[in-house]
Amino acid sequence: MTTIERPRYQVIGTRPIRPDGVEKVTGRALYGADVRLPGTIYGRVLRSPHAHARILRIDTSAAERMPGVLAVVTHRDLPAVADGIQNLGETAVNVRELAANLLADDKVLYHGHAVAAVAAVSPHLAEEALGAITVEYEVLPPVLDVREAMREDAPLLDESRRTKNIAGQVVGERPSNIAMHHRFEAGDVEAAFAKASVVIEREFRTKMVHQGYIEPQNATAVWNQDGTVTIWTSTQGAFAVRGQVAELLRLPVSKVRVVPMEIGGGFGGKIPVYLEPLAALLSRKAGGRPVKMTMSRTEVFQATGPTSGTWIRVKAGADAEGRLLAVEAELCYEAGAFPGSSVNAGAMCMLAPYDVENFRIDTYDVVVNKPKTAAYRAPGAPAAAFAMESVVDELCRALKMDPLAFRLKNSSREGTRQVSGVPFPRIGHEECVRAAMESDHYRSPIEGPNRGRGVASGFWFNGGMQSTVLVAVNPDGTVNLIEGNTDIGGTRASLAMQLAEALGIPYEDVKPFVADTDSIGHNDVTGGSRTTFATGLAVYEAAMDIRRQMVARAARILNLPEEDLEYVDGGVQSKSDPSKRIGFKEIARQQARTGGPITGKASLVARGVGPAFSTQIVDVEVDPETGKVTILRYTVVQDAGRAIHPSYVEGQMQGGVAQGIGWALHEEYCYDEQGHLLNANFLDYRIPTALDLPPIETVIVEVPNPAHPFGVRGVGEVSIVPPLAAIANAIYDAIGVRFTDLPISPRRIVEALYGGKEG
Amino acid sequence: MPTVRLPALFRERCGGATAVTVEGSTLGEVLLALDRRCPGIFELLVEGGSIRPELAVAIDGETGSYLLDEPVPPGAEIAILPAIAGG
Amino acid sequence: MAKVHVRTEINGEPVEFLAEPRQSLLEVLREELGLTGTKEGCNNGNCGACSVIFDGRVVNACCVLAVEAEGARIVTIEGIARDGELHPLQQAFLEEAALQCGICTPGIIVAAKALLDREPNPDELRVRHWLAGNLCRCTGYDKIVRAVLAAAERLQAQEVPQR
């Protein structure tokens, strides 16, 4: 649906075939693991069998003596890294901790923590060489749960760690696993609760879950004889890899060239480096041979960023008319082995759908003996929304109020202050709720035993950050669009479409190309739902650059003053006599004679980010015998601002929902008491299959972002935020049991219905 | 004059105020003026001449990484918040 | 480890290679023969990214030893498009936007082709059941299922005998 009349676009809103499509359906597209260089040798990583242990001794001599083994590295081989901070887009990463996560220093902090790496002439030989490395450990008691880790008597991951505030200032005197505490507060919470006629308070738990991209991490690196390093890898951000590798190896960024290969999914998990610096170090030790490393699926689960397990308490109060008066919350997020969970993002998202004046939210970032978390699609938001949207559902039931009517009544809108104090620009939550209310799904009755319906809303900020694009006009009138954002899900198409629209030329005449870090200016990651918005802005600016040059060239060809000319519909014409006109292709053909090649460029920090909201409806049926939950029907409503390529917008909406369904119903990291990850494979860590999911209905709402020439908001992340609560609310509606712990697995449902442990 | 909205845990430095209005036409001037009212807060927010990377600043609703010489319009509203990352 | 001489047929062409007994068909396809369209997602038979058609059946190439390919007829993603023309499944995946990152796409197209080869007219549930061994993390499968059904329809239409 369109809420504001759409300008007449030629390309935007159509559904052309993506430029990289044929290569990807024929198997010719080259992903990181497909790189094959002459003389390649293979790297493998030795990982800790313990969740928490002191490393007493590492002996690599036997491995080094094996024929065919060309290099072995441990933490000692990492160039000494000071305790510096490097800005990875919006993620602040402590380089010392990045180094200690890459290869354990004096302690291993989780099962699967890298201890050493080996390169050999075959992957099998490298694997055998790992077995020849001796590591002596002093095993320490692990702490695996966020609430346990916050206790004063908990085992400490780092005895020097003190709790800090968001400015990095120490606020706790004793050593602690709580790395950070922050508070968001406004109004008078106690007075507001005193006026409430309904108050609900609940505690929630969610488990660590993984991004679950199908392509494992990979890297191929060459340490060239001139001291430069070249890295081929599948990453969300070639420049982020370059920056991290340069910091870790103490090289100037100009010595590191990163060639981004196609990427097989990321969802935030392919921003940190795991293999790239190891491959580079192994290559240096092996005399400059190319070193190729790929992770096994087990390594991906054990040692790459999942998202936090959480404990969240929410107390919310409303008056008899259904006005949300006050919210008090505590959010405790597992950061994994090193600080840096997305707990503050969770706090800043959970109340975003609402206009509530009185709140106090305390956040705690807590280290535990599990892998260092990484961003995962709207990082921090889904768990917080699970808690808040479940409590809102209970408020609505107590008030006997339709849950969408409650959300509409309390909805945030332009000017509403977020919990950070920042007022919202134009947003589309109300429009999403209305579209959900008007949907065929919500108007259809849900009937039958053990069936129920749930709804929830969700928010994500979306990102801006830095982008660069170059545009070159070919003599045949086509254009090359050179950009630096790897294409995870159709951004070549969404950027090419914006360029075609801005230039008034056919989409097929735009040829997008993703360049390496030596070939274009800086680009931040393909992440934070930023690329179609922010790189799209750069594309638009570069198109304006081209149009200005086209006018100047046309002036020479038509022999008219530039002031009399304007760029209209893919050509330049006289303002005074529009019959004097020359088309894009003709100007392009004559460029050599009118001043040489026509190229445009734009580099910018994107301002005017348009935040995203989604409201979702789900119908479920619970089998009381087996505890199995069947998703009968699912509708996702989302404000896209403007859908450039609606099919890929729908794809983002459906993909986020699918991940949310997995998170709600069956995905979780399972550990034993010693901290061993028990389900590090796709059989035991079950992501949804085609058979688990229904058709996912999509409703695209378009409330244009006024700060983007085509109205684009980011669309990549927000759809994963509502499903957790929507499904829990639907299960309550179906069987009358309120689940506050995820996943709501068949076992938990059966136990809740027939006794045993509590739900 | 610009108004700075303070994070909850920094308010005790400013006598509990949630927002403070001060003089200044650049971000740096505003934060220095704020520091005169709330001693120590400049050092809390600024490291080596830049806003700490853990923090983000919003000027009239636009969150970004600003230099201290970023112009601040008269009557602007400035908020200080934790930096966040996307996926 | 002594290598074994293997004679097989891949995408209609005779192929010979030497393989260690411990090497999987997936490893040999990718690392020895350069057929990198077959992807590795898990290397233990759970994700389907390495689906190939082996004597008419869909298998996970990671769970087949390379030496087992002796005398077999194998079809990989590189053999789906013929004579410079995309297979209707490939065309449908493009038109229905049934891929995002594309890493699972080769395995899913291969598996779907095996389905349509034996059952030209599957319903949606059958398609979902058949593809339950091929994990996709990006799409939620909706557009994939639609693409397979669209391709089935197109193939059916092509097979109407011309008079």
Side-chain angles (χ1 to χ4, degrees), chain C residues 105-126:
Chain C
T105 307
I108 289 184
I109 287 176
V110 166
K113 177 172 187 301
L115 170 65
L116 299 187
D117 283 350
R118 68 161 71 180
E119 295 175 37
N121 194 19
D123 64 11
E124 179 180 334
L125 184 64
R126 180 63 178 147

Side-chain angles (χ1 to χ4, degrees), chain C residues 4-151:
Chain C
V4 178
H5 181 205
V6 178
R7 262 182 285 226
T8 186
E9 182 194 300
I10 300 178
N11 300 329
E13 294 170 7
V15 174
E16 295 181 44
F17 57 81
L18 295 174
E20 292 181 28
R22 65 182 171 184
Q23 285 185 294
S24 70
L25 176 60
L26 175 62
E27 185 183 342
V28 167
L29 286 173
R30 289 181 53 79
E31 301 295 332
E32 311 290 336
L33 304 176
L35 294 168
T36 56
T38 304
K39 301 302 180 190
E40 177 180 327
C42 71
N43 212 22
N44 56 12
N46 289 314
C47 80
C50 64
S51 296
V52 298
I53 300 175
F54 189 104
D55 285 341
R57 290 163 50 217
V58 184
V59 298
N60 290 314
C62 69
C63 293
V64 175
L65 289 172
V67 295
E68 294 180 85
E70 175 69 34
R73 299 175 68 174
I74 296 165
V75 179
T76 71
I77 185 65
E78 289 89 350
I80 302 291
R82 300 313 282 280
D83 307 325
E85 294 266 317
L86 293 180
H87 187 276
L89 269 165
Q90 293 169 315
Q91 192 61 35
F93 268 63
L94 294 178
E95 288 169 9
E96 302 286 331
L99 61 150
Q100 284 178 34
C101 81
I103 197 83
C104 70
T105 307
I108 289 184
I109 287 176
V110 166
K113 177 172 187 301
L115 170 65
L116 299 187
D117 283 350
R118 68 161 71 180
E119 295 175 37
N121 194 19
D123 64 11
E124 179 180 334
L125 184 64
R126 180 63 178 147
V127 172
R128 287 184 178 276
H129 196 274
W130 184 270
L131 293 180
N134 289 83
L135 298 179
C136 169
R137 190 60 156 174
C138 293
T139 63
Y141 305 102
D142 195 276
K143 292 182 188 300
I144 291 174
V145 172
R146 280 170 214 278
V148 174
L149 293 171

